[in-house]
Amino acid sequence: MTPSNQGSITTRAAIARQPHTGWELTELTLDAPKSHEVRVRFHAAGLCHSDDHITQGDAPVRFPIVGGHEGAGVVESVGPDVRRVKPGDRIVCSYIPACGACRPCSTGHQNMCVKGLNAGTGMFLDGTFRFHRGEEDLGGFCTVGSFSQYAVVSEWACIPLPDDIPFEIGALVGCGVPTGWGSAVYAAGVRAGETVVIYGAGGVGSNAVQGARYAGAKNVVVVDPVAFKRDMAKVFGATHTFADAREAHDFVVDTTWGQLADHAICTPGVLTAEIVDAAMQVVGKAGKVTITAAGKLGERAVKVHAGLMIMYQRQVRGALFGDCNPLYDVPRLLRLYRSGDLKLDELITRRYTLEELNAGYQDMNDGKNIRGVLVHER
């Protein structure tokens, strides 16, 4: 951190200038926090697939943009009117803020808080930006930007991180863990004794496995073409794993005596029409397909024949943040981790420096990681 004028500092960050060019390391000027904002020194950030969608051209964002929306660190300073945190507090950043007062928040849907409307631009609610490169304004992805050593975020995005929880673990519960876990427990509503099929066992899918197991599913079936991810899925609670959707379908037919699965949860790195079609066919009467993953920009992955839904009364629904309420569920998940009921250390396959960020995403796309974590220099 280097002092500048008017309370601004300089920070090292990874930015995407345009699709298909990867992450570029640079120095940015970061403004002081304004009303209801805090400046955070990040210690760790998760390498989530959503950030890869930016560099692959599959996320509609404003370029250039500072990457990273999973992050944990320490509050360095606060702006006026901040009540939720104070300087020195350890925090997790929720990639969707939770103000607690808007209509979604006050009706139990903090995952859709209206203050998260600028996720793709990183612009703050007053119409300005906090990151700058010369005369150029930059936003942080999901108004977080945890691929920067320092960032300004909304106080509504700050959740306390207990002293005994490592920053690397804290970063993961800002997105991937609740998104996957909640997709099974809340969005799908898995119940004891049910059969669940999960497509994709990366950082989000592995937590959908944990959620389904914790909810009491009898059969937790994972479909993933990567052997390493299938092996790890068993660590997280999968009862059966398959490389191919057809093999999984045949198993489900056999093990349920033709009744098929109760739930299918789609958590691949990139959603395709083939995955959605397989999920629709694997669920039986009154079965539910929960879609958590994003697909290619401009492609429609959900192409479902109405008869497939009507005849078996199947349901298809999307899940944002796994239907979790950040202020309640992030502390809850950390308590489950503390008690040994939720495996989070096992999610971290490799750690990377800022300079290794592109290599980290290559490892992810090569199927070598469940979750990579960026550890900022201290």
Side-chain angles (χ1 to χ4, degrees), residues 21-226:
T21 58
W23 297 102
E24 172 190 332
L25 267 60
T26 188
E27 283 199 347
L28 302 174
T29 300
L30 179 64
D31 293 339
K34 296 185 179 181
S35 180
H36 294 294
E37 298 171 7
V38 306
R39 192 154 63 194
V40 180
R41 180 183 182 183
F42 283 115
H43 285 243
L47 273 60
C48 182
H49 209 120
S50 296
D51 295 278
D52 192 59
H53 285 306
I54 294 174
T55 56
Q56 296 301 319
D58 295 326
V61 300
R62 174 189 182 275
F63 289 104
I65 193 166
V66 179
H69 65 286
E70 290 185 344
V74 176
V75 175
E76 185 254 345
S77 62
V78 302
D81 306 313
V82 171
R83 298 291 182 270
R84 187 170 290 181
V85 294
K86 64 184 183 303
D89 283 355
R90 303 170 87 248
I91 63 163
V92 172
C93 281
S94 170
Y95 84 96
I96 297 176
C99 71
C102 67
R103 180 180 176 182
C105 282
S106 63
T107 55
H109 303 287
Q110 293 175 2
N111 61 318
M112 293 187 285
C113 177
V114 300
K115 287 184 168 54
L117 78 166
N118 292 330
T121 67
M123 183 175 68
F124 282 82
L125 296 177
D126 65 357
T128 63
F129 298 86
R130 302 295 171 266
F131 288 113
H132 310 282
R133 190 180 188 189
E135 299 299 315
E136 190 173 42
D137 296 330
L138 297 88
F141 187 36
C142 296
T143 326
V144 174
S146 57
F147 291 171
S148 174
Q149 292 177 312
Y150 290 83
V152 170
V153 304
S154 167
E155 73 165 311
W156 314 125
C158 298
I159 302 172
L161 179 65
D163 290 342
D164 64 322
I165 306 294
F167 288 109
E168 297 166 23
I169 297 300
L172 302 185
V173 297
C175 172
V177 175
T179 296
W181 193 88
S183 290
V185 174
Y186 293 142
V190 175
R191 301 179 68 178
E194 293 186 327
T195 294
V196 183
V197 182
I198 297 166
Y199 297 85
V204 173
S206 295
N207 289 294
V209 170
Q210 296 205 78
R213 173 193 57 80
Y214 194 77
K218 182 179 187 298
N219 299 305
V220 181
V221 182
V222 165
V223 181
D224 198 295
V226 180

Side-chain angles (χ1 to χ4, degrees), residues 108 111 177-191 211-212 215 263 265 288 290 317-326 328-330 332-333 335-336:
N111 61 318
V177 175
T179 296
W181 193 88
S183 290
V185 174
Y186 293 142
V190 175
R191 301 179 68 178
H263 300 281
I265 304 174
K288 183 187 289 186
T290 301
R317 63 149 296 179
L320 177 65
F321 208 99
D323 279 18
C324 286
N325 287 304
Y328 172 76
D329 285 301
V330 168
R332 181 190 190 190
L333 291 168
R335 289 194 296 271
L336 289 174

